[in-house]
Amino acid sequence: MRSTTEEKKKRGMVPEDLLKMAWIRDPRFSPDGKRVLYTVKTINEEGEYQSNLFMLNVETGEDSPWTYGKGIDASPRWSPDGQSITFLSNRSGKMQVWLISSEGGEARPLTRFTNGVNQHLFSPDGRFVAVLVSLKPDEPGLLANTPPREEKDAKEKKEDKPMIVDRLKYKSDDFGFRDEKLQYLYLVDVKTGESKRLTEGDESISSFTWAPDGKRIAFTANRASDPDRTWTNDLFILDMDTLHVSKLTDQDGVFGSLAWSPDGKWIAALGHNLEYAGATLTKVWLFDPLTGEKRGLTENWDVDVEDEMIGDMHADAPAPGLVWATDGRGLYFRASREGNVSLFYTTLEGMITPVADGTFHIYGFSLDETHQRAVLAVSRPTEIGDLYLLRLSTGEWKRLTNKNEELMSQLTLSTPEEFRFDAKDGWIIQGWLMKPVDFKPEEKYPLILEIHGGPHAMYGNTFFHEMQVLAAKGYAVLYTNPRGSHGYGQTFVHAVCGDYGGMDYEDLMAGVDEALRRFTFIDKDRLGVTGGSYGGFMTNWIVGHTNRFKAAVTQRSISNWMSFYGVSDIGYFFTEWEIGFPLFDHPEKLWEHSPLKYVKNMETPLLILHSERDYRCPIEQGEQLYVALKHLNKVTRFVRFPDSNHNLSRTGKPSLRIERLHHIVDWFGKYM
């Protein structure tokens, strides 16, 4: 037990603690189940992200780094015989496939593709690696014969030229402006490094998987005549001998995370048929690789089978997707339910059972069915994330890593209290309240309402740096899952569509009212509100419809649906999906749901945070709101973050992530 003196030495979390964190990712059991390979992402002394591979012996507990350096080593994959490991690394400039012995030693480059490698996967016999690369149609696949370590010093001269746009979808928040690259599958010989192109190029390949006999590869792609107007992915089968590609499906669905069954009879996939557009629950499906016949395994289960958790720690963690049982009789997968992300198993008859179900966020997993165990990457509200060993037969847990032990030993964290409350129309809403660090029952504290983005996402039991920083500053932090959130079934998640600012707003206000009733230490006269993306839209909406909040911070927000339609990378279809109408049919409907319409009503001091390269909710959304408020002599400030996109708070430059948190804390401190 710690002494009182030791407790006094502890402190609350600060923005700069980001620099001390380690993020555990992508656990992978060795084929014999004795070792686990995983990645550790950190921030180095130059203030840049780095990632290295680690090897953990499950039997002895020995845990040691497997690669070194200040670059990015990620996506480790064991060879089928367990003798070697491939991984992606930018140590030579672009992300290429590197090969290293499973016994250690020096890694060597396996690929030299012009624009690097996006994905890689060993063939069943381990002789080859299939890779996914992006190339322009007339671009050479391989780099010139330049020594690998000099590749990063070779800079191409770029002339200033106008960009000619002919496509409807010509930009993306992920990669910027479209440069007409297509995606190609290549085959790389592990021994020689020789490569062979397998496909002629696709608009988008989101997933691929080997048949167990190594004679075919299944992949998904959008080969529509106008892919900018469709959101479907069909399944294709590539014959490795003839390179003939056959189309397996012809449907209106979005599918990915492919996994071929051990007996070769089925291809499993995650996806849906867009029945509710972007608000459709993802399900587990089986496809017959010969006929294309589709069968739903979780079709009648009203749960989304993906990780929908919102947080600022694991947004870029690799998704493990679907994993077949070794006997081919079922599949393992994650699902989001009532603020948790858990691990489940389904038989081929659709019988679903929980494997690891609790109050936590499983953001990665790997299985060793031979020894009846799983390794899980788990985050909780007071735990950034570590690896645990789960014995499937007994349910016994054992912690394998504790990478943030030193940092956590210095801190006092706030543990959220879950509660449920009635919405205005009787729906049940889930929420959490974090007490301020160093809470004293006799004192009154200000409250900050946090609103998640999406809106089809989910708050829950995961670590959230931003919220811990606010709690450390003496705020109670309230966060809820209003209608539109994942985790509560199809009807709930779709309910916000066409009703932005309607019952979702009422849900949030009911949450504040319930918090004030339930937690009497909250000062009703010192309320703040913040959120990003949809949460930014809702923050704008709230301050335009009530003056009960003393301060507000809107982040990467939407203020005007009419302009959003044309400037966002998703605006031309997302607007119709979420508001219900495109711009040219009912512009008055878009204006009715735009916070900018209500700017004259805004009296709450509003801080506007936006990234310069945000193509999802472009910065002009923040500009419009700022200029209107300033023109009306309202209290506002506009902070623009350079070289950052929509994901600044989650994966942005560390120094800017820290500065962003300081702006939020300072604004609330000034006005609350």
Side-chain angles (χ1 to χ4, degrees):
M1 180 173 293
R2 292 187 179 91
S3 67
T4 304
T5 303
E6 288 175 323
E7 286 294 332
K8 286 183 178 179
K9 291 180 181 179
K10 289 196 170 189
R11 58 174 176 81
M13 181 156 268
V14 297
E16 285 75 14
D17 284 328
L18 181 76
L19 301 173
K20 305 173 185 177
M21 293 180 184
W23 296 276
I24 315 305
R25 302 287 172 79
D26 208 6
R28 300 274 170 174
F29 260 119
S30 59
D32 62 9
K34 294 181 180 180
R35 294 183 291 175
V36 173
L37 188 65
Y38 65 99
T39 66
V40 178
K41 177 182 174 182
T42 56
I43 298 171
N44 60 36
E45 56 269 26
E46 280 81 32
E48 298 177 343
Y49 296 113
Q50 71 178 55
S51 177
N52 299 106
L53 307 188
F54 276 67
M55 186 77 76
L56 189 150
N57 188 305
V58 179
E59 306 300 332
T60 66
E62 181 184 358
D63 187 11
S64 57
W66 217 245
T67 65
Y68 300 86
K70 295 182 179 180
I72 302 295
D73 296 339
S75 301
R77 299 292 183 267
W78 290 91
S79 63
D81 62 6
Q83 297 300 306
S84 57
I85 295 161
T86 56
F87 61 96
L88 297 182
S89 177
N90 67 349
R91 59 183 64 191
S92 65
K94 296 180 172 65
M95 295 295 283
Q96 304 284 1
V97 179
W98 289 66
L99 185 73
I100 189 172
S101 168
S102 62
E103 299 304 315
E106 187 72 21
R108 66 176 176 87
L110 187 60
T111 65
R112 304 271 324 291
F113 288 99
T114 302
N115 299 312
V117 173
N118 302 324
Q119 298 179 41
H120 69 296
L121 192 62
F122 265 110
S123 62
D125 62 8
R127 295 170 54 210
F128 302 98
V129 174
V131 299
L132 181 64
V133 302
S134 298
L135 296 166
K136 293 180 180 179
D138 58 348
E139 195 170 28
L142 300 178
L143 288 162
N145 190 23
T146 307
R149 297 191 180 276
E150 294 179 16
E151 175 188 322
K152 56 186 174 184
D153 299 323
K155 297 182 179 179
E156 179 184 354
K157 288 186 177 180
K158 295 184 179 179
E159 299 179 18
D160 291 329
K161 293 182 179 180
M163 182 176 67
I164 300 172
V165 176
D166 294 311
R167 298 281 299 270
L168 176 59
K169 188 173 184 177
Y170 65 93
K171 62 181 177 181
S172 165
D173 190 66
D174 294 326
F175 56 75
F177 290 109
R178 182 183 293 276
D179 54 12
E180 301 307 322
K181 288 190 180 74
L182 296 176
Q183 294 183 329
Y184 299 82
L185 282 171
Y186 274 77
L187 190 69
V188 180
D189 189 298
V190 173
K191 285 187 176 180
T192 67
E194 294 180 357
S195 63
K196 173 184 177 182
R197 197 167 83 179
L198 301 176
T199 61
E200 292 303 313
D202 285 284
E203 184 65 29
S204 61
I205 296 178
S206 59
S207 178
F208 64 93
T209 182
W210 285 90
D213 61 7
K215 296 180 179 180
R216 291 166 293 170
I217 289 178
F219 64 91
T220 59
N222 183 347
R223 288 187 168 182
S225 58
D226 189 351
D228 295 351
R229 300 177 189 273
T230 60
W231 297 270
T232 59
N233 278 329
D234 276 305
L235 269 67
F236 297 85
I237 303 292
L238 168 69
D239 185 286
M240 297 299 290
D241 291 330
T242 65
L243 300 188
H244 174 72
V245 175
S246 57
K247 188 177 181 183
L248 187 63
T249 62
D250 189 6
Q251 60 209 356
D252 297 324
V254 181
F255 298 94
S257 299
L258 302 183
W260 214 308
S261 65
D263 59 9
K265 293 181 178 180
W266 299 102
I267 299 171
L270 294 178
H272 55 73
N273 288 312
L274 287 164
E275 299 97 323
Y276 297 89
T280 311
L281 297 186
T282 298
K283 304 288 186 177
V284 180
W285 302 88
L286 291 181
F287 292 88
D288 186 318
L290 299 178
T291 67
E293 176 190 354
K294 182 179 68 171
R295 177 154 61 95
L297 293 186
T298 66
E299 192 173 8
N300 298 317
W301 196 41
D302 198 20
V303 176
D304 186 87
V305 295
E306 280 193 314
D307 181 353
E308 302 292 356
M309 188 75 77
I310 283 283
D312 54 9
M313 294 287 99
H314 303 296
D316 59 342
L322 294 165
V323 176
W324 280 93
T326 52
D327 61 9
R329 295 180 180 178
L331 291 134
Y332 294 87
F333 61 92
R334 294 175 303 161
S336 298
R337 188 167 61 170
E338 298 186 6
N340 301 301
V341 179
S342 302
L343 182 64
F344 294 86
Y345 173 83
T346 178
T347 66
L348 299 190
E349 293 72 41
M351 296 292 293
I352 302 166
T353 56
V355 177
D357 192 12
T359 53
F360 44 61
H361 173 202
I362 295 178
Y363 62 91
F365 73 92
S366 183
L367 291 156
D368 170 27
E369 281 197 305
T370 302
H371 300 94
Q372 278 294 288
R373 54 193 182 184
V375 61
L376 310 174
V378 179
S379 177
R380 296 180 175 90
T382 56
E383 182 181 343
I384 294 173
D386 270 295
L387 299 184
Y388 288 80
L389 186 70
L390 171 66
R391 296 199 177 277
L392 301 178
S393 56
T394 65
E396 178 188 357
W397 286 65
K398 177 185 177 182
R399 188 166 189 161
L400 297 176
T401 65
N402 195 356
K403 295 295 184 183
N404 291 287
E405 183 177 14
E406 182 178 354
L407 172 61
M408 291 303 180
S409 68
Q410 306 168 24
L411 302 175
T412 298
L413 299 175
S414 177
T415 301
E417 180 178 334
E418 179 194 338
F419 64 99
R420 312 261 175 154
F421 59 93
D422 292 333
K424 188 175 182 179
D425 58 358
W427 286 27
I428 304 299
I429 309 297
Q430 185 179 22
W432 293 264
L433 192 285
M434 293 172 62
K435 292 178 180 177
V437 172
D438 297 330
F439 170 77
K440 296 179 178 61
E442 67 276 10
E443 294 188 10
K444 287 282 189 178
Y445 293 93
L447 172 82
I448 294 175
L449 170 65
E450 287 265 7
I451 309 170
H452 69 63
H456 311 305
M458 178 183 77
Y459 274 147
N461 291 302
T462 193
F463 191 88
F464 216 121
H465 183 209
E466 177 179 325
M467 293 184 187
Q468 290 290 350
V469 167
L470 292 173
K473 284 293 183 178
Y475 298 101
V477 181
L478 170 66
Y479 52 105
T480 68
N481 283 330
R483 67 196 68 196
S485 304
H486 271 299
Y488 311 91
Q490 184 63 77
T491 300
F492 193 93
V493 74
H494 188 250
V496 72
C497 297
D499 191 39
Y500 273 47
M503 289 307 299
D504 52 348
Y505 167 73
E506 297 292 348
D507 290 349
L508 291 163
M509 293 303 98
V512 173
D513 292 338
E514 177 65 17
L516 290 172
R517 184 193 69 79
R518 185 182 293 252
F519 305 100
T520 56
F521 58 83
I522 297 173
D523 186 346
K524 65 180 178 60
D525 295 320
R526 288 191 292 163
L527 303 179
V529 59
T530 186
S533 196
Y534 164 81
F537 158 82
M538 187 51 69
T539 298
N540 298 340
W541 185 268
I542 286 172
V543 298
H545 287 78
T546 179
N547 292 326
R548 70 186 300 188
F549 294 89
K550 296 301 180 184
V553 180
T554 183
Q555 309 172 49
R556 57 190 183 279
S557 72
I558 295 173
S559 66
N560 184 352
W561 286 103
M562 297 181 73
S563 62
F564 178 86
Y565 169 87
V567 298
S568 169
D569 63 343
I570 62 173
Y572 67 95
F573 63 86
F574 188 82
T575 301
E576 183 172 359
W577 284 4
E578 299 295 313
I579 302 302
F581 300 95
L583 173 66
F584 38 82
D585 281 357
H586 293 281
E588 70 281 359
K589 176 77 170 175
L590 271 60
W591 184 237
E592 187 71 22
H593 288 272
S594 296
L596 193 63
K597 177 182 178 181
Y598 309 98
V599 70
K600 286 187 177 181
N601 302 332
M602 297 181 184
E603 301 298 335
T604 306
L606 182 63
L607 175 65
I608 302 170
L609 305 181
H610 228 111
S611 296
E612 296 282 3
R613 294 185 181 179
D614 188 337
Y615 294 145
R616 183 60 40 85
C617 296
I619 198 168
E620 62 87 34
Q621 294 287 305
E623 289 173 332
Q624 289 188 66
L625 185 58
Y626 173 75
V627 169
L629 287 168
K630 206 68 176 175
H631 190 203
L632 293 170
N633 290 314
K634 310 280 184 164
V635 179
T636 187
R637 173 177 288 171
F638 191 20
V639 182
R640 306 169 66 118
F641 292 88
D643 299 323
S644 304
N645 67 2
H646 197 63
N647 287 305
L648 166 65
S649 66
R650 300 177 283 256
T651 59
K653 186 176 180 180
S655 61
L656 294 181
R657 290 176 67 178
I658 292 169
E659 186 170 350
R660 167 188 162 274
L661 289 174
H662 278 296
H663 280 292
I664 294 171
V665 168
D666 292 347
W667 189 261
F668 283 129
K670 181 176 182 179
Y671 292 101
M672 289 175 60

